[in-house]
Amino acid sequence: MNEWKKFDVITKGDGMWLVDSNGNRLLDGVASMWCNVWGHSKKELINAMIKQTRILQHSSLFNLTNDQAELLAEKLVKISPGMRKVFYSDDGSTAMEIAIKMALQYWQNIGIKNKTKFVTLENGYHGDTIGAMSIGYVPLFFSKFKKLLFPVIKTPTPHKYRMPKGFTFNEYQEYCLERIEKTFVKNNDLAAFVMESGAQIAGGIIIYPLEFQKKISQLCKKHDVLFIIDEIATGFGRLGSFIEYKEQKSIPDIVSYGKMLTGGYLPLAATLTSQKIYDSFLGKYSEMKHFFHGHTFTGNPLACATALTNLDLYEKNDLISKNKIKTRQFERRIDEISNLSLVGDVRHKGMLMAVELVSNKNKKTLIAPDKKIHQKVFEEAKKHKIYLRTLGHIIMLVPPLAISTKELDFLLDGTIDIIKKVTKRL
C-alpha cells in the first residue's frame, strides 16, 4: 500500500468511459471489476432505479416478500435449466458461502451426516470470505489466512500453458478427470464438487477444454456428489453464452450468479438450486431443517428491479448474438499480441482475454515481483487513456459487453502499445 500514494477520483461515467476530477477520460477495460454490461450511463437502468426508488427502496424478505424479488426469481428460474428456487444475497462471495452451506445442510437434512467435505479445482477462486477462501484457495491471495480455513481436497486443472512435463494436452485432461474420479471413489464423505463455470478467472484465466466441465458433472451424478457451479464472473455473456453451464452441458445442483446480474449498477447476487435440494429444507419447525442464513439487503427491490431491466435489455438488444462479432475481433489480434517479446501466452474466450507476460518466452519464466509489472502496466495504460488492472503478470481485458467495435479496437491497439512501452521500461 505504501507504493500507491493517491488514487484518481472518478466523478462521472460516460458510456464505456470513466471521467476523473481533472476531466481525464479512461476507457473501462475491466468493466469496473468485470461487472459492467452496458457502460456507465445506460438510461434504461437509471430509469428503472429512479422508478423503483419512488415506490419501495427496501423491504426485508424475513417473513415478507416484494414484487421485484418475486419477478426476478421467476425470470432467473426460467433462464436457468434445472434450477427451481432462488436465494438472494449481496455479492459473489456471499452467494458462494450460501451454496456451501446449502450443500452441507442438504446431506444433514436427509440424514446422511458424514458427507461434509468439498472437492475443488486448483487455482479456482470463489471470493474473499472464509468459506469462499477455503474452496477457492489461491495461495498468493490467502496464505496468510490459511489457519482460519477448513480443509478442502484439490484436484488439478487442465492448464495448457503451464501443465506438467510429459503430457500431451489431451493426456493431461484425462489425467485431471481421473484424479477427480479417484477422489470420488476413495472418499465416501464428499458433500460437493465446486468449480467456476467455463473458465477460472482470478486464478489466472484458465479456459477449460471442450467437455471437461460436462464430464465432471457426469462424475458427480455417478458418485452421488453435489455439483456446485460458480457463474459469478463467467455468466451472462462474459464467455460468449448467456448461461455458461447450459453451453457446457453440465446442469448443476446449485449455481451462483452475481457481477453482471444488475448490469454492474447495484450489488446483487443469487444462489439457485434444484427442487431436490430445496425440498430437503422443508419440515416442521421443531425439526430445525430450515436454512439459518439471511442478509439485511437480501432481495432488495432496487437491485432486483435493476436486474430485471438489465435481463430484458439482453433480449431486446440481442446482445449475446451481436457479441460474436466482437469475439472474432479479439481472435484476429491473438497472433499479433502473441508475437510481442514479453508475451508468453494469450488466452481468450468470448469477451475475455488474458495476456500472460513472462521474462523468458522459451522457459515461461515469471516476471520477478520487484519489477512491479502490475504498476507499470497500470501507469502506462493511464497514459493511453485506458483503465487496466492486472492479475500480477497477467493483463486482463474484460470490457463492458456492449463496448463498440471502435472502442474495442482502441482497447486492443492500446494494450499492444502498452506492452511495447513496458517492455522498453523493463
Side-chain angles (χ1 to χ4, degrees):
M1 292 303 295
N2 240 5
E3 296 173 3
W4 300 89
K5 300 301 182 184
K6 65 174 185 176
F7 298 105
D8 298 322
V9 179
I10 300 302
T11 58
K12 182 182 177 183
D14 181 16
M16 306 299 147
W17 299 77
L18 300 166
V19 185
D20 71 17
S21 54
N22 295 314
N24 299 312
R25 293 168 62 84
L26 294 171
L27 181 65
D28 191 352
V30 292
S32 288
M33 211 55 202
W34 322 341
C35 67
N36 193 282
V37 176
W38 305 101
H40 296 275
S41 50
K42 190 69 171 173
K43 65 181 180 180
E44 291 91 338
L45 295 179
I46 294 166
N47 289 340
M49 293 163 70
I50 293 170
K51 180 181 177 182
Q52 185 59 41
T53 301
R54 291 182 176 137
I55 301 168
L56 177 65
Q57 308 77 36
H58 181 59
S59 173
S60 172
L61 287 197
F62 290 87
N63 293 74
L64 297 171
T65 187
N66 67 72
D67 62 341
Q68 299 304 304
E70 293 284 336
L71 289 168
L72 180 58
E74 289 172 10
K75 180 78 170 178
L76 290 173
V77 164
K78 184 179 178 182
I79 63 176
S80 305
M83 300 297 101
R84 294 292 178 266
K85 299 293 177 179
V86 178
F87 197 104
Y88 291 116
S89 56
D90 310 335
D91 61 34
S93 295
T94 51
M96 290 307 295
E97 293 281 342
I98 289 162
I100 295 165
K101 289 173 69 175
M102 277 183 179
L104 192 63
Q105 192 175 335
Y106 163 77
W107 295 111
Q108 304 286 312
N109 283 353
I110 66 170
I112 301 175
K113 307 293 185 182
N114 71 315
K115 282 182 169 278
T116 59
K117 290 182 182 175
F118 291 84
V119 186
T120 64
L121 292 174
E122 292 171 355
N123 296 307
Y125 171 88
H126 301 286
D128 294 341
T129 49
I130 298 297
M133 284 194 289
S134 298
I135 59 168
Y137 182 73
V138 180
L140 178 65
F141 303 159
F142 304 140
S143 59
K144 293 177 177 65
F145 312 112
K146 195 169 185 179
K147 289 185 178 180
L148 291 175
L149 310 182
F150 58 78
V152 168
I153 300 170
K154 294 283 186 183
T155 61
T157 304
H159 189 349
K160 189 174 185 178
Y161 183 62
R162 294 197 177 276
M163 64 180 180
K165 292 179 180 178
F167 289 96
T168 66
F169 189 45
N170 284 336
E171 289 171 345
Y172 192 54
Q173 292 173 50
E174 288 306 312
Y175 170 78
C176 292
L177 290 166
E178 286 169 11
R179 283 283 300 273
I180 292 168
E181 182 151 35
K182 283 179 181 177
T183 301
F184 288 177
V185 170
K186 185 179 177 182
N187 300 275
N188 68 351
D189 55 358
L190 302 178
F193 187 95
V194 187
M195 68 186 295
E196 291 158 272
S197 191
Q200 295 181 333
I201 307 298
I205 316 295
I206 301 165
I207 297 162
Y208 308 137
L210 194 65
E211 297 212 325
F212 179 70
Q213 185 168 317
K214 176 185 175 183
K215 288 174 181 176
I216 292 176
S217 71
Q218 291 170 341
L219 289 174
C220 287
K221 287 179 177 64
K222 178 181 175 182
H223 295 279
D224 200 20
V225 175
L226 295 182
F227 187 44
I228 299 176
I229 283 291
D230 176 347
E231 288 217 7
I232 291 150
T234 61
F236 300 119
R238 178 55 64 194
L239 299 182
S241 55
F242 193 40
I243 303 298
E244 180 61 23
Y245 76 75
K246 183 179 178 182
E247 178 73 14
Q248 298 283 342
K249 297 180 175 62
S250 57
I251 307 297
D253 296 288
I254 302 171
V255 62
S256 292
Y257 298 137
K259 288 197 183 291
M260 294 195 291
L261 180 54
T262 67
Y265 279 55
L266 285 173
L268 182 68
T271 305
L272 279 67
T273 191
S274 65
Q275 191 71 41
K276 177 184 81 170
I277 302 296
Y278 174 81
D279 285 347
S280 76
F281 288 84
L282 302 179
K284 295 178 181 178
Y285 182 82
S286 59
E287 294 178 272
M288 289 291 158
K289 286 187 174 183
H290 40 289
F291 193 46
F292 285 96
H293 194 104
H295 295 271
T296 302
F297 289 100
T298 288
N300 173 259
L302 268 176
C304 290
T306 308
L308 278 164
T309 301
N310 175 49
L311 296 178
D312 285 345
L313 285 171
Y314 273 85
E315 293 177 29
K316 288 176 183 176
N317 290 273
D318 196 19
L319 184 65
I320 302 300
S321 293
K322 285 180 179 176
N323 274 0
K324 290 176 182 177
I325 295 168
K326 285 175 271 189
T327 293
R328 291 192 290 271
Q329 202 173 339
F330 271 110
E331 288 171 353
R332 287 195 294 270
R333 308 301 289 274
I334 290 175
D335 288 345
E336 184 181 357
I337 297 170
S338 298
N339 289 332
L340 298 172
S341 61
L342 209 61
V343 174
D345 191 36
V346 179
R347 302 185 279 278
H348 164 255
K349 188 176 183 185
M351 294 295 288
L352 171 71
M353 178 177 276
V355 182
E356 183 164 344
L357 306 181
V358 293
S359 59
N360 186 306
K361 293 184 79 151
N362 293 328
K363 296 180 180 179
K364 304 180 183 180
T365 311
L366 295 175
I367 296 172
D370 62 3
K371 299 292 185 184
K372 298 180 185 176
I373 190 69
H374 63 290
Q375 197 167 22
K376 288 181 172 68
V377 169
F378 178 79
E379 290 169 350
E380 194 61 48
K382 274 176 59 180
K383 294 175 186 175
H384 286 73
K385 302 185 185 305
I386 297 172
Y387 170 47
L388 283 184
R389 280 193 87 248
T390 67
L391 284 170
H393 64 293
I394 299 171
I395 297 175
M396 295 182 66
L397 303 183
V398 199
L401 296 189
I403 190 171
S404 69
T405 54
K406 183 178 179 181
E407 287 165 324
L408 184 52
D409 271 336
F410 181 89
L411 175 61
L412 291 163
D413 290 340
T415 300
I416 289 166
D417 202 41
I418 289 161
I419 295 169
K420 288 177 179 176
K421 293 282 172 55
V422 169
T423 304
K424 288 180 181 178
R425 288 179 65 185
L426 286 176

